Amino acid sequence: VGGSSSNDLHVQLAMALISATVYSHIRDCKLPQAIRLLEMQLCSFPDNEAALSLLGYCYYHLGDFPAAATMYAKLTKVCPGERKYGIYHAQSLYKGSLLGEAEKACLAIAERHAQVELLQACIKFEQDDLSGSRKILEQVSLDEVDVYVALGCCFYKEGCYEQALKSFTDALNIAGFHPQLIYNRAVCLYQLKLHKQALECLVGIFEHGVKEYPELGVGSHVEGLELCSVGNSQALRDSQLVEAFNLKESHERLKRLANQYSEILLRLTVQIQDTEFSGSSDAHRKLLFEYEDMNEIYIPVLMGMAKIFWDKENYAQVEKILSQSADLCHNNSIWRMNMAHTFFMQVKETFKRIACCLKKILK
């Protein structure tokens, strides 16, 4: 009896240690490590609610929405009385662009709930059924920030920028300062040709990003201080800085940010070459992943700079901007596609001029 009790205690201690490690990984945003431990747990306890729920959470926040949906689908069977798992299941399917399955999952939830109705409205929106989306939203309590945001998105997609602006402003009045909502207002103001007000919004996002996300190092580069990659982090996405920098008014800040990121990419390129010849495969692989993450951040900034001149039909300047980054981006499909479009537009303009000359001769 004593031996059995001792074994049980050891098992409980081991389980407690694994749980503490999993939560520590999640807290530190080391989600792949947490997933590995949870999957091992699931092999021994396939219907464990905690393991399934945490796996669903980790997969969702890593952007692996189909895997998250699989976990939550199993939870709806393991815990049929828990409505939240049905909602999480539908939400994961929606985020994974499995709209038809997400719609069915919403209908399978027995009780009606504002969150479910909001999700159904979002599904209709993605299916371009704007009238259907608005019809659902009008039945939901208008005290919800998400309802105002969803209505704003519907109005924006229809080209009703003033109504969209009002909806996003109403959401801000409830939620307070939020970079995503400020950015939405800036885009509406830009579409309404209210460039000064749009710029004020972007400055607000920029100042908030500097203050709240110092780890991104935006606007704080000091000569001689080595820059480091921030990766494609949640902090970067939450700050809305990349989105803000992609608007026209932010050309100079875009240029500064592009220079910072290109320095990081150049440094990583040198380190990749060094590790390739030194035979350090683990270090080499890690640096390649860092380079890919940094490139994903750099490309939108570069394209934002190019778009300013594209909109002015100054394709020679677009080519110049893209060409300056050829060494860093030549393998990137987005860069290649935009460069090809730039070449095509310049050829197109040449043919137009030729046609104009020939037309005058023929007359």
Side-chain angles (χ1 to χ4, degrees), residues 205-214 218-220 241:
I205 294 171
F206 178 74
E207 290 175 349
H208 179 265
V210 170
K211 183 180 176 183
E212 298 296 323
Y213 302 97
V218 179
S220 60
L241 283 167

Side-chain angles (χ1 to χ4, degrees), residues 113-119 121 133-144 146-147 151:
H113 187 271
Q115 196 174 352
V116 178
E117 291 171 342
L118 184 59
L119 187 52
S133 181
R134 274 212 314 275
K135 187 178 178 181
I136 295 170
L137 291 169
E138 285 161 4
Q139 296 169 359
V140 183
S141 168
L142 282 178
D143 291 333
E144 294 280 340
D146 289 339
V147 175
L151 278 170

Side-chain angles (χ1 to χ4, degrees), residues 35 39 54-65 67-68 71:
I35 286 171
E39 284 177 339
L54 287 170
L55 271 171
Y57 173 90
C58 291
Y59 281 130
Y60 187 92
H61 286 275
L62 271 178
D64 190 347
F65 302 116
M71 295 300 114

Side-chain angles (χ1 to χ4, degrees), residues 191-221:
Q191 294 289 0
L192 292 166
K193 310 298 182 187
L194 300 171
H195 294 156
K196 185 180 178 183
Q197 292 95 316
L199 182 57
E200 287 170 0
C201 289
L202 296 179
V203 170
I205 294 171
F206 178 74
E207 290 175 349
H208 179 265
V210 170
K211 183 180 176 183
E212 298 296 323
Y213 302 97
E215 68 271 26
L216 300 180
V218 179
S220 60
H221 177 50

Side-chain angles (χ1 to χ4, degrees), residues 307-319:
K307 189 176 186 301
I308 294 169
F309 296 97
W310 179 277
D311 289 347
K312 293 177 180 177
E313 299 184 1
N314 187 347
Y315 303 119
Q317 186 62 27
V318 174
E319 182 185 348

Side-chain angles (χ1 to χ4, degrees), residues 80-106:
E82 286 285 356
R83 182 183 60 195
K84 65 181 180 182
Y85 294 134
I87 295 173
Y88 296 159
H89 177 222
Q91 194 169 12
S92 299
L93 290 168
Y94 163 71
K95 291 288 283 184
S97 300
L98 301 167
L99 303 180
E101 291 179 45
E103 209 163 21
K104 289 176 187 175
C106 285

